[in-house]
């Protein structure tokens, strides 16, 4: 796999190997199975797996499944599929929930050391007592319970004697700490809920801030890579590892989140788009999820190249979504066969072409890659062209078809528009053209020039196809936190993010399979949609158009 360019995390690893602090790098990718992975997660995957790989280390895929209410095996399965699809193999597959017993023991150890207590304050009271950035917190009246009482209450919490929210276990650190995370954080809560892995075995669950450092230490993770929001949690992370007397001491290192313009990048928001029907599922091609991008037609290589280009730093500005498009275009340029498709058909009858005759024209599968060989394209008296390639009363500099004008049909002949047929509403429904047999493509004809080249599909053998064209799902990059008063990111959802067109493709496309990718002449790159394609109907998702203003 391609290496990441040098960065501060890699530097730490090099230093730790050189100094002998570690003899092997162990990282983990720790998703919570409460949604599908998005392109932001791809960055975390590439950093964790990529860096460990570079140093012949190991990476665990660990499901951080400590919150039974939001988690589901559907998400577990999709995450495994997405990590593999991106091109990575985990050394171990772990579930944080498999460590519940161990975590419980460590919590008991904290209680015995006088470093944790059972609190009866309500969630609201705990928040109120916590204080603010400018004012110190206040100690809970339950803070000085004896070790014996705490041990007894904690065991009874585990045994299900209390309701949700009635009691919590808190670490006893410092209510006056300038770092709010150290003001006696809650480390266990009661939740009478069925867990996707442990079922009804537990009704108390560890909080993230307590569970995560223990998970890392249990797995001997050397470098626990996370995003910058967790920077203020690092002292608590270290406190947990130390006070719980873990043998391993992982080092937390933070990097800046990946954000991309014109989308949202949080599982909670993405779930809302799915649940409220803005999209047709987590794998809707407009979603920034790995499964959505796969369905749209992105390749693993294009995503990896994009992520590598964004680099590893502490900053987290939004990256232009056009940069993603640039990388998929680059990747498909030499891989995708070229073909022609008509998205908005207009019938053309070539009146001087022999009736009933079909000739097979030659075209390269990809002119940039001659080794890909040639394909045959049928041509006959009836073809389809794009509605847009004809204008009855064109403006100046319109070089496509109009009455009396001649254009080149890609890979075929020059045709000239002789007659326009309309329906009773005045709508153009057919063109009558003539062709010039001397102008056949590839014969070196130099008699005269035409300014326009248009694409076409032979009508009698063409295959019906649906084309799905996408625009950005989110109209600007305001997210809920910065949206105007009273508005949310949902107000920025683009109502016209999907356009569905019915057209035709060349007959040799009939054998296409889901996920086959093509470059349609003048229209861009398309992927055969795995969800909507049937034996009777091909459905193509546009991955990206041919041109972009983006330069890297
Ligand atoms: P979200 O906020 O989208 O729900 P999360 O951080 O809660 O994401 P986790 O399942 O906890 O999701 O994420 C697994 C790993 O992926 C974490 O280490 C997290 O820091 C990382 N990650 C999540 N979002 C991004 C992002 N946008 N850029 C880089 N890394 C990310
Ligand atoms: Mg999360």
């Amino acid at each position: 796999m391609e290496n990441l360019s040098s960065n501060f995390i890699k530097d730490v690893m090099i230093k730790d190997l050189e100094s002998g602090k570690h003899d092997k790098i162990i990282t983990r990718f720790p998703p919570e199975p409460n949604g599908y992975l998005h392109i932001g997660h791809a960055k975390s995957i590439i950093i964790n797996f990529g860096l460990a790989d570079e140093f012949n280390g190991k990476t665990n895929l660990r499901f951080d499944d400590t919150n039974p209410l939001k988690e589901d095996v559907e998400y577990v399965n999709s995450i495994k599929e997405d990590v593999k699809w991106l091109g990575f193999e985990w050394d171990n597959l772990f579930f944080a929930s498999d460590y519940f017993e161990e975590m419980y023991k460590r919590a008991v150890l904290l209680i015995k050391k006088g470093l944790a207590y059972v609190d009866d304050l309500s969630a609201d009271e705990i928040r109120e007592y916590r204080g603010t950035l400018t004012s110190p917190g206040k100690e809970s009246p339950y803070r000085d319970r004896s070790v014996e009482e705490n041990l007894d209450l904690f065991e009874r919490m585990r045994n299900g004697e209390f309701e949700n929210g009635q009691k919590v276990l808190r670490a006893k650190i410092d209510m006056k700490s300038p770092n709010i995370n150290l003001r006696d954080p809650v480390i266990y809560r009661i939740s009478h809920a069925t867990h996707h892995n442990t079922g009804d075995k537990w009704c108390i669950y560890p909080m993230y801030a307590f569970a995560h450092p223990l998970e890392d230490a249990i797995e001997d993770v050397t470098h626990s890579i996370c995003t910058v929001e967790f920077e203020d949690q690092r002292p608590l992370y270290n406190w947990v590892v130390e006070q719980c007397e873990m043998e391993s001491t992982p080092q937390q290192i933070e990097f800046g989140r990946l954000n991309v313009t014109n989308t949202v990048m949080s599982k909670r928001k993405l779930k809302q788009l799915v649940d409220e029907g803005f999209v047709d599922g987590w794998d809707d091609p407009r979603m920034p999820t790995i499964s959505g991008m796969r369905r749209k037609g992105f390749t693993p290589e294009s995503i990896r190249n994009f992520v590598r280009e964004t680099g590893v730093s502490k900053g987290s500005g939004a990256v232009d979504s056009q940069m993603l498009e640039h990388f998929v275009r680059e990747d498909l340029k030499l891989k995708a066969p070229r073909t022609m498709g008509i998205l908005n058909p207009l019938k053309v009858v070539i009146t001087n072409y022999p009736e009933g005759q079909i000739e097979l024209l030659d075209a390269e599968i990809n002119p940039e890659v001659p080794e890909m060989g040639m394909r045959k394209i049928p041509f006959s008296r009836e073809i389809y062209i794009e509605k847009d390639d004809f204008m009855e009363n064109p403006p100046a500099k319109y070089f496509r078809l109009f009455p009396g004008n001649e254009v080149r049909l890609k890979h075929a002949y020059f045709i000239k528009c002789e007659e326009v047929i309309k329906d009773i509403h005045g709508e153009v429904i057919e063109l009558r053209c003539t062709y010039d047999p001397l102008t056949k493509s590839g014969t070196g004809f130099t008699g005269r020039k035409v300014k326009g080249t248009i694409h076409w599909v032979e009508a009698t053998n063409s295959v019906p196809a649906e084309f799905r064209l996408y625009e950005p799902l989110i109209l600007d990059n305001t997210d809920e936190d910065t949206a105007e008063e009273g508005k949310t990111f949902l107000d920025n959802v683009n109502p016209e993010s999907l356009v569905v067109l019915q057209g035709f493709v060349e007959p040799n496309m009939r054998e296409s399979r889901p996920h086959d990718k093509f470059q349609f002449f003048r229209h861009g790159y398309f992927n055969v949609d795995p969800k909507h394609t049937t034996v009777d109907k091909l459905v193509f998702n546009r991955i990206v158009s041919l041109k972009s203003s983006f330069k890297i």
Side-chain angles (χ1 to χ4, degrees):
M1 188 88 35
E2 321 84 359
N3 284 355
L4 284 157
S5 50
S6 58
N7 62 69
F8 67 97
I9 303 181
K10 208 193 250 195
D11 292 344
V12 172
M13 292 178 171
I14 292 172
K15 197 177 75 185
D16 289 349
L17 288 171
E18 280 174 2
S19 71
K21 179 178 175 190
H22 300 296
D23 53 16
K24 199 176 190 71
I25 302 294
I26 302 179
T27 61
R28 85 290 173 257
F29 172 62
E32 183 178 356
N34 61 350
Y36 282 60
L37 297 182
H38 51 61
I39 178 79
H41 294 112
K43 179 154 193 167
S44 177
I45 291 169
I46 289 167
I47 294 176
N48 278 293
F49 282 86
L51 288 179
D53 242 32
E54 248 182 78
F55 298 106
N56 287 317
K58 287 190 171 175
T59 305
N60 300 331
L61 171 59
R62 180 210 305 147
F63 288 99
D64 207 335
D65 56 348
T66 54
N67 186 357
L69 290 177
K70 293 186 179 165
E71 294 158 5
D72 199 283
V73 278
E74 175 195 347
Y75 301 134
V76 170
N77 292 332
S78 76
I79 290 169
K80 288 200 260 183
E81 185 184 351
D82 289 350
V83 172
K84 279 192 233 161
W85 180 78
L86 279 171
F88 299 97
E89 275 173 52
W90 49 87
D91 289 280
N92 297 290
L93 179 69
F94 291 132
F95 288 85
S97 52
D98 287 337
Y99 313 144
F100 280 165
E101 193 64 50
E102 177 68 24
M103 291 174 184
Y104 179 83
K105 280 191 200 138
R106 301 287 164 170
V108 167
L109 175 67
L110 287 183
I111 295 174
K112 286 183 176 158
K113 291 167 79 174
L115 293 175
Y117 60 97
V118 173
D119 198 353
D120 295 7
L121 291 183
S122 68
D124 285 340
E125 287 166 328
I126 289 178
R127 201 169 308 117
E128 200 187 305
Y129 275 55
R130 190 180 295 135
T132 65
L133 281 173
T134 48
S135 61
K138 223 166 48 173
E139 293 184 355
S140 163
Y142 303 97
R143 198 175 196 260
D144 291 321
R145 277 180 163 148
S146 68
V147 169
E148 291 66 36
E149 191 182 2
N150 281 320
L151 285 173
D152 175 58
L153 288 171
F154 190 47
E155 192 179 337
R156 289 166 58 196
M157 278 170 67
R158 176 184 184 161
N159 292 341
E161 289 185 31
F162 307 110
E163 303 290 311
N164 291 354
Q166 222 185 318
K167 288 187 169 25
V168 291
L169 184 71
R170 298 179 70 175
K172 193 174 187 174
I173 310 179
D174 179 6
M175 288 307 291
K176 296 191 174 53
S177 170
N179 183 337
I180 293 186
N181 296 298
L182 295 177
R183 293 183 190 169
D184 292 9
V186 174
I187 58 176
Y188 261 94
R189 69 196 187 291
I190 298 171
S191 178
H192 292 273
T194 304
H195 187 280
H196 79 97
N197 184 28
T198 56
D200 293 321
K201 179 161 184 226
W202 293 88
C203 62
I204 55 171
Y205 292 93
M207 302 299 285
Y208 180 88
F210 178 67
H212 204 84
L214 295 182
E215 295 159 19
D216 287 341
I218 290 169
E219 293 173 17
D220 289 330
V221 165
T222 54
H223 301 84
S224 172
I225 301 166
C226 64
T227 44
V228 279
E229 318 86 81
F230 293 97
E231 196 160 17
D232 291 345
Q233 298 240 19
R234 198 187 329 139
L236 176 57
Y237 182 101
N238 292 337
W239 184 93
V240 171
V241 171
E242 188 189 338
Q243 298 303 339
C244 289
E245 301 175 14
M246 303 306 289
E247 272 171 40
S248 240
T249 50
Q251 179 187 358
Q252 176 178 309
I253 309 180
E254 310 85 16
F255 72 96
R257 287 178 90 80
L258 172 67
N259 287 304
V260 178
T261 62
N262 296 104
T263 191
V264 285
M265 200 84 87
S266 123
K267 281 182 282 189
R268 185 176 56 78
K269 289 178 186 171
L270 295 174
K271 185 167 190 316
Q272 222 175 325
L273 290 169
V274 174
D275 291 347
E276 296 181 26
F278 287 93
V279 293
D280 85 356
W282 285 94
D283 67 348
D284 185 297
R286 292 165 291 182
M287 295 280 270
T289 50
I290 303 302
S291 52
M293 293 177 71
R294 173 167 63 232
R295 203 177 135 199
K296 195 174 186 189
F298 277 84
T299 55
E301 293 82 356
S302 63
I303 293 176
R304 294 201 304 261
N305 291 341
F306 163 79
V307 165
R308 270 209 319 282
E309 180 67 26
T310 63
V312 182
S313 72
K314 289 265 181 193
S316 52
V319 177
D320 196 322
S321 55
Q322 288 193 38
M323 186 164 144
L324 254 175
E325 300 187 344
H326 164 85
F327 280 100
V328 72
R329 238 184 242 114
E330 281 297 300
D331 187 43
L332 293 179
K333 194 166 65 183
L334 304 181
K335 291 182 183 167
R338 309 285 172 93
T339 187
M340 295 194 285
I342 300 296
L343 278 51
N344 257 314
L346 174 62
K347 174 80 89 54
V348 171
V349 177
I350 300 164
T351 54
N352 60 338
Y353 194 88
E355 225 160 309
Q357 175 175 314
I358 293 203
E359 85 184 277
L360 291 174
L361 303 170
D362 292 310
E364 281 156 313
I365 289 175
N366 186 336
E368 295 187 50
V369 191
E371 310 85 81
M372 286 174 82
M374 305 292 289
R375 73 180 198 275
K376 297 274 185 205
I377 316 171
F379 182 78
S380 80
R381 185 182 158 91
E382 293 191 7
I383 62 172
Y384 293 114
I385 65 165
E386 295 290 350
K387 269 201 181 113
D388 284 356
D389 283 337
F390 171 78
M391 276 184 101
E392 196 168 16
N393 300 298
K397 305 217 164 142
Y398 184 85
F399 299 123
R400 291 169 274 164
L401 265 188
F402 55 87
N405 192 43
E406 196 174 39
V407 296
R408 176 195 300 279
L409 292 178
K410 179 78 176 168
H411 301 306
Y413 299 95
F414 290 6
I415 57 166
K416 184 173 178 182
C417 177
E418 310 282 359
E419 196 186 341
V420 181
I421 315 284
K422 298 180 183 174
D423 65 9
I424 51 166
H425 310 290
E427 186 88 22
V428 176
I429 50 166
E430 192 179 300
L431 302 177
R432 300 277 161 92
C433 295
T434 50
Y435 88 116
D436 179 352
L438 296 177
T439 58
K440 185 168 177 176
S441 177
T443 57
F445 174 77
T446 51
R448 61 186 182 279
K449 287 199 157 64
V450 288
K451 287 204 165 138
T453 299
I454 65 172
H455 60 280
W456 55 277
V457 167
E458 196 274 327
T460 53
N461 286 289
S462 62
V463 179
E466 179 174 301
F467 297 93
R468 297 175 159 240
L469 311 184
Y470 302 100
E471 293 295 327
L473 185 56
I474 305 290
L475 278 174
D476 71 16
N477 205 38
T478 319
D479 66 14
E480 199 177 3
D481 315 307
T482 53
E484 289 169 53
E485 189 93 32
K487 295 201 166 181
T488 74
F489 77 99
L490 292 174
D491 294 294
N492 291 326
V493 171
N494 180 2
E496 282 154 20
S497 55
L498 170 64
V499 174
V500 181
L501 300 170
Q502 307 297 336
F504 298 98
V505 294
E506 293 179 18
N508 50 35
M509 301 289 279
R510 208 182 292 274
E511 303 305 316
S512 307
R513 291 288 165 265
H515 289 298
D516 283 352
K517 294 167 182 56
F518 299 93
Q519 186 199 105
F520 282 92
F521 184 62
R522 294 168 75 210
H523 285 303
Y525 294 96
F526 288 72
N527 185 44
V528 179
D529 186 89
K531 203 156 172 174
H532 296 301
T533 294
T534 62
V535 280
D536 305 315
K537 187 162 126 193
L538 284 170
V539 177
F540 292 93
N541 294 318
R542 177 149 72 187
I543 310 167
V544 66
S545 58
L546 287 176
K547 285 206 180 67
S548 127
S549 49
F550 188 77
K551 293 268 176 297
I552 77 163

